[in-house]
């Protein structure tokens, strides 16, 4: 899973930061004896506020979430493309900036600003965010393969449940805070019943065209004339045995749909409850906390995930054709050999060894 490099003071996750200046001031205190002065603070707060998340949930606004209460001076704020801050509101650890113009749905913006906490510690940061999309389409993860071949690479199929726009919608191989790679969709109008194919291991050839208009223009392995093909340029395939697939309204937005898959059991290891690593159990716990996946007990375990052990490049993991979505492994089955149906309706036939 991809994680931001360690920063000794500011531990930002998945926010593009090119500069960070931490400023803290400790006034000299005159000590006259070994006994602490009444009311003295032996360990003052010298850490600047750390930025954890940046998202837009309104047409003119962006919200920044810090690890502690913080303020931002609008005079020092710079946004690219250029716009002015007309209002700043602060609630606990969240600061919301209101702009003088509407944000373009799904468009990438770069914010430069300085945050300051109650003790005067400050941090200059640069972060990216995406314009709020008020017409975001509703989608479900409908079919996928994680054990692709040279002729049938890994694919994720999305089914459109409610018409709308894909602008800014984000697929993560992982979660928004811990992912191997992600894909942010461009502006594209979709209708209920449409299929989207996300190709997770492209060859990098010219004919691999992401189809925001004509759905027949893309070439490439397993491109479908019946669905919209999108190609994840940095995609290296899906983790073959264990992983999480998740869809968000935007890179730091709310979750839309997710699936956990594995070939492990609770007895596979004792350290990570059977999941095998922190990188898998943490996303699984997060998805359950966000009500995107339902565990059968108090704690999520490998048996709650979709068991992909019999799957292959042509025996895909499918949701039932009815589209049932209980956010559990009961929604999924593995189809017979050559039963993959990317770009068309799923089959309800089940692979029998």
């Amino acid at each position: 899973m991809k994680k931001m490099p360690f920063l000794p003071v500011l531990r930002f996750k998945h926010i593009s930061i090119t500069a960070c200046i931490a400023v803290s001031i400790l006034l000299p205190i005159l000590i006259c004896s070994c006994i602490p002065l009444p009311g003295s603070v032996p360990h003052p707060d010298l850490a600047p506020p750390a930025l954890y998340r940046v998202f837009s949930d309104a047409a003119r606004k962006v919200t920044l979430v810090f690890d502690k209460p913080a303020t931002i001076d609008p005079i020092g704020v710079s946004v690219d493309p250029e716009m002015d801050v007309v209002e700043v509101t602060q609630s606990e650890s969240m600061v919301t900036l209101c702009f003088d113009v509407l944000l373009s749905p799904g468009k990438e913006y770069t914010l430069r600003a300085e945050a300051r906490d109650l003790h005067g510690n400050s941090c200059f940061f640069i972060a990216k965010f995406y314009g709020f999309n008020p017409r975001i389409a509703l989608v479900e993860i409908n079919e996928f393969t994680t054990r692709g071949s040279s002729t049938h690479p890994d694919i994720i199929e999305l089914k459109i449940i409610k018409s709308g726009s894909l602008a800014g919608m984000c697929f993560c191989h992982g979660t928004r805070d811990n992912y191997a790679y992600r894909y942010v969709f461009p502006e594209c109008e979709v209708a209920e019943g449409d299929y989207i194919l996300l190709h997770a291991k492209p060859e990098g050839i010219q004919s691999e065209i992401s189809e925001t208009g004509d759905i027949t223009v893309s070439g490439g392995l397993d491109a479908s004339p019946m669905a919209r093909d999108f190609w994840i340029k940095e995609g290296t395939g899906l983790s073959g045995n264990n992983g999480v697939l998740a869809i968000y309204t935007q890179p730091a937005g709310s979750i839309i749909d997710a699936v956990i898959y594995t070939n492990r059991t609770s007895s596979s290891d004792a350290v990570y409850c059977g999941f095998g690593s922190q990188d898998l159990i943490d996303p699984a716990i997060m998805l359950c906390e966000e009500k995107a996946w339902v565990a059968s007990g108090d704690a999520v375990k490998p048996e709650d995930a979709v068991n992909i052990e019999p799957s292959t490049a042509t025996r895909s993991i499918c949701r039932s054709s009815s589209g049932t979505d209980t956010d559990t492994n009961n929604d999924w089955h593995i189809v017979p050999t050559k039963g993959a149906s990317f770009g068309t309706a799923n089959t309800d036939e089940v692979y029998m060894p």
Side-chain angles (χ1 to χ4, degrees), residues 246-306:
I247 303 290
Y248 295 88
T249 56
Q250 55 183 275
S254 302
I255 196 160
I256 298 175
D257 195 28
V259 59
I260 307 169
Y261 65 89
T262 188
N263 66 345
R264 300 176 67 86
T265 68
S266 296
S267 60
S268 295
D269 72 72
V271 179
Y272 302 105
C273 303
F275 280 102
S277 72
Q278 204 72 46
D279 277 340
L280 184 56
I281 191 172
D282 283 351
I285 292 172
M286 177 179 288
L287 292 183
C288 290
E289 289 176 346
E290 295 193 344
K291 311 300 182 185
W293 196 256
V294 179
S296 57
D298 293 336
V300 64
K301 55 185 183 294
E303 288 82 0
D304 295 320
V306 177

Side-chain angles (χ1 to χ4, degrees), residues 40 42 59 95 114 116 144 177 200 206 256 264 279 315 331:
S40 65
V95 178
E114 183 180 23
R116 186 177 298 274
F144 63 97
D177 298 320
Q206 190 172 0
I256 298 175
R264 300 176 67 86
D279 277 340
R315 290 202 296 260
D331 300 333

